[in-house]
Amino acid sequence: MAEKNKKKEQKTTAVVTKDSLSFFEKYINNASPTGFEWEGQRLWLDYLKPYVDETFVDNYGTAVGVINPKANYKVVIEAHADEISWFVNYITKDGLIYVVRNGGSDHQIAPSKRVNIHTEKGIVKAVFGWPAIHTRSGEKEENPSLKNIFLDCGCSTKEEVEALGVHVGCVITYEDTFSILNDRYYIGRALDNRAGGFMIAEVARLLKENKKKLPFGLYIVNSVQEEIGLRGAEMIADRIKPNVAIVTDVTHDTQTPMINKITQGDLFSGKGPVLSYAPAVQVNLNKLLVKVAEENNIPFQRQACSRYTGTDTDAFAYSNGGVPSALISLPLRYMHTTVEMVHKEDVDNVIRLIYQTLLNIEDGQDFRTFTK
């Protein structure tokens, strides 16, 4: 009897192919800092184009692929393309460089990191320097902060630095690249949220390869400038004026040390997509996600987000008089570091959930609970 009551272990069918994984690696390794996303957007659109009817890019770089562009009823699936980074803020007379954040960059992980400074003349290599442990003996330990982290690009004067093309306002990204850990986790910088851009592109691929015809217009949207306030989503929501929006972003795996489950929730990498409960998440659209997940044996988790989700969901939900919106999150470890980790099966299952949900949305569907 006990055996009968045991929940059957669900095995995930792989969605990501060898070719799509090759694109994913290239896409993650490319730098797309907030405000400078265009190289990554070019890569993404080139990958997406065979699976959509048309594409366009807005003034700030948000990239969109459209299926059935003439349809009146419009559904958006969305992720954001930008990654956290730094700006050159001050160059000393000795050729050292101080920085300010571009997005939520973590000053504590900066010391000893290798970086790329992006200039009009090309990439300039540098490192975040830090005093050796031997030199700090007997001194009061200073923690890394914006006041004391600095870049060294091998120059000894400000003039040398400027001769390389470096100036105040140049953007800086980390060098770290994509890898796979234990054949289980994808690792890299900017999985927040280029993993999302990858997943929505894979949804478009599946629709094309499986010859699925949608009764509405589908807008696959890779927004810019999420990391500094959901700005790209605000702009593109106003342009597209969608009827429905399904957003995918990352959320925290809370199983590693120093994370408080009481405040952050109890979420696991490898246990499926996370569905959010928040004022911006439209109740009936969220119920549809749950129903689709259950009917297709897609494991999922739940998360409460209090006043807002902190994702592009909020921007879409409160645009154009209110757009039914929902959030599907990918559990991620070590957010805003260079070793962000996501489980391969979670990536497959987010793709599956978005894909199956689209097949269950009707043309003109009204998600209101009541109309009078």
Side-chain angles (χ1 to χ4, degrees), residues 34-35 37 41 56-64 76 78 82 221-226 228-242 312 314-316 318-320:
T34 302
E37 298 93 344
Q41 296 293 65
F56 66 88
V57 180
D58 78 0
N59 288 333
Y60 277 83
T62 290
V64 183
V76 160
E78 192 263 6
D82 59 319
V221 178
N222 210 8
S223 294
V224 298
Q225 299 196 23
E226 187 271 353
I228 48 87
L230 322 182
R231 300 308 186 191
E234 289 177 355
M235 291 183 275
I236 203 66
D238 183 62
R239 175 167 175 173
I240 295 173
K241 294 182 169 48
D312 283 340
D314 304 329
F316 278 94
Y318 301 131
S319 69
N320 301 295

Side-chain angles (χ1 to χ4, degrees), residues 69-93:
K70 294 183 180 178
N72 291 323
Y73 194 76
K74 302 173 184 178
V75 176
V76 160
I77 57 174
E78 192 263 6
H80 75 82
D82 59 319
E83 66 178 291
I84 57 168
S85 55
W86 303 95
F87 280 124
V88 172
N89 187 50
Y90 168 57
I91 305 170
T92 74
K93 63 181 177 59

Side-chain angles (χ1 to χ4, degrees), residues 183-254:
D183 197 29
R184 187 176 299 165
Y185 287 95
Y186 300 128
I187 300 175
R189 38 165 261 284
L191 289 173
D192 173 17
N193 181 35
R194 289 210 288 281
F198 170 69
M199 293 186 296
I200 59 175
E202 288 296 274
V203 171
R205 177 179 66 81
L206 290 182
L207 290 168
K208 183 75 169 184
E209 291 179 354
N210 294 333
K211 297 181 171 60
K212 297 295 183 182
K213 301 295 182 184
L214 298 174
F216 48 77
L218 179 65
Y219 292 71
I220 303 100
V221 178
N222 210 8
S223 294
V224 298
Q225 299 196 23
E226 187 271 353
E227 294 289 359
I228 48 87
L230 322 182
R231 300 308 186 191
E234 289 177 355
M235 291 183 275
I236 203 66
D238 183 62
R239 175 167 175 173
I240 295 173
K241 294 182 169 48
N243 300 95
V244 180
I246 298 172
V247 173
T248 185
D249 206 327
V250 295
T251 191
H252 302 286
D253 171 310
T254 61

Side-chain angles (χ1 to χ4, degrees), residues 305-326:
C305 294
S306 190
R307 295 177 62 194
Y308 47 81
T309 71
T311 72
D312 283 340
T313 312
D314 304 329
F316 278 94
Y318 301 131
S319 69
N320 301 295
V323 175
S325 301

Side-chain angles (χ1 to χ4, degrees), residues 252-265 334:
H252 302 286
D253 171 310
T254 61
Q255 304 310 306
T256 54
M258 298 184 288
I259 298 178
N260 187 341
K261 294 185 179 67
I262 294 172
T263 58
Q264 299 297 322
Y334 319 125

Side-chain angles (χ1 to χ4, degrees), residues 68-169:
N68 301 336
K70 294 183 180 178
N72 291 323
Y73 194 76
K74 302 173 184 178
V75 176
V76 160
I77 57 174
E78 192 263 6
H80 75 82
D82 59 319
E83 66 178 291
I84 57 168
S85 55
W86 303 95
F87 280 124
V88 172
N89 187 50
Y90 168 57
I91 305 170
T92 74
K93 63 181 177 59
D94 300 317
L96 298 177
I97 299 167
Y98 287 83
V99 299
V100 292
R101 292 186 179 95
N102 185 19
S105 302
D106 188 346
H107 52 275
Q108 293 201 65
I109 71 160
S112 82
K113 290 289 185 185
R114 300 170 190 263
V115 300
N116 293 323
I117 306 174
H118 299 262
T119 81
E120 292 294 331
K121 294 182 177 181
I123 297 294
V124 173
K125 299 290 184 180
V127 298
F128 272 109
W130 194 246
I133 189 169
H134 318 71
T135 66
R136 307 198 306 269
S137 177
E139 302 289 333
K140 182 182 176 182
E141 286 279 359
E142 280 197 60
N143 294 321
S145 73
L146 284 178
K147 294 178 180 178
N148 61 21
I149 60 173
F150 62 91
L151 290 177
D152 188 334
C153 61
C155 295
S156 56
T157 67
K158 180 178 181 179
E159 290 73 24
E160 274 191 86
V161 174
E162 291 175 337
L164 294 174
V166 177
H167 57 74
V168 170

